[in-house]
Amino acid sequence: MKQTDYDLIIVGGGMVGASLACALKNTPLNIAIIEAFVLNSDQQPSYDDRGIALAYGSQIIFEAMGLWSQLAPHCTAIKDIHVSDRGHFGITRLSAQVEQVPALGQIITAREMGQVFHHALTQQNNLDVICPNSVTSLIQHSDSVELTLDDDRHISAKLIVAADGGQSTIRQLLGLGALESDYQQTAITANITPERAHQNRAFERFTDSGPIALLPMSDNRCSLVWTVTAGDEKDILKLSDSDFLTQLQERFGYRLGKLIRVGQRNNYPLKLMQADQPVQHRIVLIGNAAHSLHPIAGQGFNLGLRDVAALADVLIDHCEDCGDAHLLNDYKQWRQQDQDNVIKSTDSLVKLFSNNQPLLGHCRGAGLALIDVLPPVKHWLAKKSMGLGRKQPRLGRGISL
Ligand SMILES: Cc1cc2nc3c(=O)[nH]c(=O)nc-3n(C[C@H](O)[C@H](O)[C@H](O)COP(=O)(O)OP(=O)(O)OC[C@H]3O[C@@H](n4cnc5c(N)ncnc54)[C@H](O)[C@@H]3O)c2cc1C
């Protein structure tokens, strides 16, 4: 085989790319990660202050990677989830106690996760971090892929993993098509302090303009994801803190008492994107580069992390030629169903709860009330939200996973 500079080059050091590098730390693979921004700097957009809900399944993956002990001190456990629909009767409650698990999930800010990844990456012997640099072109050869960077450097590897986010340069350079659907919605995020203790409860409240999630965090703060119709965010972001809290309170209600403080607000346009062919000759797209989701169910990173775990699992056994087509095909087949299911169920949830037809509103309310009194359905729902009940990566088999 032709000599390459690296076995594996990961393009993108966001949450998904960094997780993959960490997952492969104790392997013979010679790895580089290319990131457009200085790692762990304020400029890197992936690691802002939004709260990320980690499903229980993601905790298990991080435990296998040896990273959970560093992440755990920054996490707040979700013990209960409370789902309601504004203006309609009917609620559904999920409980860790009922499911007999320590927590249904954990909340950590993207920034804190970034700090843990950064520390882990700097300790890793088989990894070169190339940043701030971005990829400008690529050439696929039979046994390697050659990348050109923005400083005209050329580097090659047997396998390229594109973890370069929703606007993936690698996807564009390959000319890959994608299924795209603009939800015409924007997510506004901020950290909120309510009057009452959140008691580790997460709230998902559906409203006529889109869902509101309040997730428990440290110091009795809650991480807010408030989805509004695209365009409406402009006026909402301009509001004074007290007017912002009044509007939010009006839509969320008083389950946490009065909402008394709001931190910095950010906003994200929301769309669905699923790349047509995420596995190409010696190239794999993972995370947001392969599929960007609406944050309604907090599944985007959890899905990306399951891509990471599966890919690491197949790579670990094939260090000699990690870009081998059979191996990438194994990965593709393994991940296809989970990706399709999560993408479809998230999209259906957005459409179901963004529809303001009165009849549908009553049906939703009745559905939530019905789920609440049907323990098997609740158990199934809880397993899905915990990221369990799927074919899990064979965590014990690999070297690092
Ligand atoms: C409001 C909101 C709330 C969310 N909440 C949750 C949640 O609770 N739970 C959950 O699981 N998910 C959640 N998500 C989804 C989650 O944020 C994403 O799934 C996750 O950030 C995707 O990570 P990524 O590494 O694939 O992409 P990104 O975070 O976009 O990272 C891509 C990286 O690649 C770099 N890059 C880009 N182009 C290049 C290039 N050409 N060369 C080199 N580097 C490049 C970028 O600088 C960046 O660092 C939420 C999303 C939003 C918007």
Side-chain angles (χ1 to χ4, degrees):
M1 271 194 85
K2 195 178 135 197
Q3 188 68 28
T4 52
D5 298 311
Y6 295 97
D7 294 308
L8 164 65
I9 297 177
I10 302 167
V11 182
M15 289 192 265
V16 171
S19 300
L20 179 64
C22 292
L24 294 170
K25 76 166 175 243
N26 292 326
T27 66
L29 290 170
N30 181 18
I31 307 170
I33 192 164
I34 302 172
E35 168 53 46
F37 295 94
V38 175
L39 279 189
N40 205 24
S41 66
D42 276 345
Q43 292 101 323
Q44 208 184 343
S46 334
Y47 300 123
D48 59 14
D49 286 314
R50 97 196 95 130
I52 297 291
L54 295 177
Y56 185 54
S58 295
Q59 175 179 336
I60 294 172
I61 293 173
F62 279 130
E63 277 169 5
M65 284 167 56
L67 275 186
W68 184 246
S69 58
Q70 288 110 283
L71 291 167
H74 303 286
C75 288
T76 302
I78 303 173
K79 301 275 187 189
D80 298 285
I81 302 177
H82 186 287
V83 187
S84 60
D85 192 0
R86 182 173 181 259
H88 300 100
F89 81 98
I91 51 169
T92 291
R93 284 157 291 208
L94 304 176
S95 144
Q97 198 182 7
V98 172
E99 298 305 323
Q100 299 181 331
V101 288
L104 293 169
Q106 304 277 344
I107 307 296
I108 180 169
T109 64
R111 187 180 301 283
E112 287 163 320
M113 223 185 325
Q115 285 159 2
V116 171
F117 290 149
H118 182 245
H119 178 73
L121 295 180
T122 53
Q123 312 283 309
Q124 202 164 320
N125 296 327
N126 63 342
L127 178 76
D128 284 344
V129 178
I130 302 175
C131 75
N133 278 106
S134 52
V135 176
T136 54
S137 70
L138 66 82
I139 305 171
Q140 288 163 286
H141 301 289
S142 62
D143 51 7
S144 66
V145 180
E146 191 180 323
L147 301 180
T148 307
L149 306 187
D150 52 357
D151 57 5
D152 288 335
R153 244 184 302 172
H154 296 267
I155 51 172
S156 61
K158 292 171 192 153
L159 174 66
I160 304 296
V161 174
D164 51 348
Q167 304 298 322
S168 171
T169 305
I170 301 294
R171 198 176 69 234
Q172 289 166 27
L173 290 172
L174 289 167
L176 289 185
L179 161 82
E180 292 195 57
S181 163
D182 189 338
Y183 288 120
Q184 299 291 332
Q185 293 180 343
T186 301
I188 299 172
T189 61
N191 294 336
I192 303 284
T193 308
E195 185 184 25
R196 285 198 209 131
H198 56 55
Q199 295 176 314
N200 297 79
R201 280 174 300 168
F203 293 88
E204 181 92 41
R205 182 151 173 82
F206 297 102
T207 78
D208 51 6
S209 70
I212 294 175
L214 274 174
L215 310 170
M217 293 176 74
S218 56
D219 304 321
N220 199 43
R221 290 169 309 153
C222 295
S223 167
L224 168 72
V225 183
W226 181 2
T227 308
V228 300
T229 305
D232 288 359
E233 76 281 3
K234 292 190 192 111
D235 288 339
I236 296 176
L237 290 166
K238 275 191 239 150
L239 293 171
S240 66
D241 285 0
S242 75
D243 288 346
F244 180 87
L245 288 170
T246 305
Q247 286 221 10
L248 178 62
Q249 185 97 59
E250 197 253 317
R251 308 196 82 67
F252 177 72
Y254 282 82
R255 286 195 168 85
L256 285 168
K258 199 163 161 31
L259 305 175
I260 48 182
R261 199 171 308 134
V262 54
Q264 194 193 320
R265 301 169 219 163
N266 285 321
N267 71 103
Y268 310 81
L270 300 177
K271 66 174 187 180
L272 165 72
M273 189 287 298
Q274 184 175 21
D276 283 343
Q277 294 292 337
V279 175
Q280 296 283 313
H281 175 68
R282 295 191 175 273
I283 300 178
V284 181
L285 275 63
I286 60 170
N288 270 24
H291 37 68
S292 306
L293 308 183
H294 193 291
I296 190 169
Q299 289 295 325
F301 175 63
N302 291 300
L303 181 65
L305 190 64
R306 293 199 291 279
D307 291 348
V308 164
L311 186 58
D313 206 323
V314 293
L315 292 183
I316 281 162
D317 281 347
H318 292 83
C319 290
E320 215 149 88
D321 181 8
C322 61
D324 179 80
H326 294 103
L327 147 83
L328 300 187
N329 202 37
D330 279 355
Y331 164 78
K332 183 179 162 187
Q333 292 195 351
W334 187 352
R335 295 300 302 140
Q336 190 79 58
Q337 201 184 356
D338 184 22
Q339 291 175 353
D340 287 349
N341 288 349
V342 173
I343 290 165
K344 276 194 200 116
S345 57
T346 303
D347 188 46
S348 306
L349 206 60
V350 177
K351 288 181 176 144
L352 175 67
F353 283 98
S354 302
N355 193 318
N356 295 327
Q357 280 183 12
L359 184 61
L360 198 63
H362 292 307
C363 293
R364 280 193 310 248
L368 288 176
L370 192 64
I371 291 171
D372 204 48
V373 292
L374 291 175
V377 182
K378 271 171 71 157
H379 178 61
W380 176 84
L381 207 62
K383 269 179 79 175
K384 288 276 166 204
S385 71
M386 284 188 281
L388 300 175
R390 304 175 174 92
K391 186 183 168 206
Q392 292 290 326
R394 295 150 284 177
L395 298 172
R397 200 185 84 186
I399 297 168
S400 19
L401 282 186

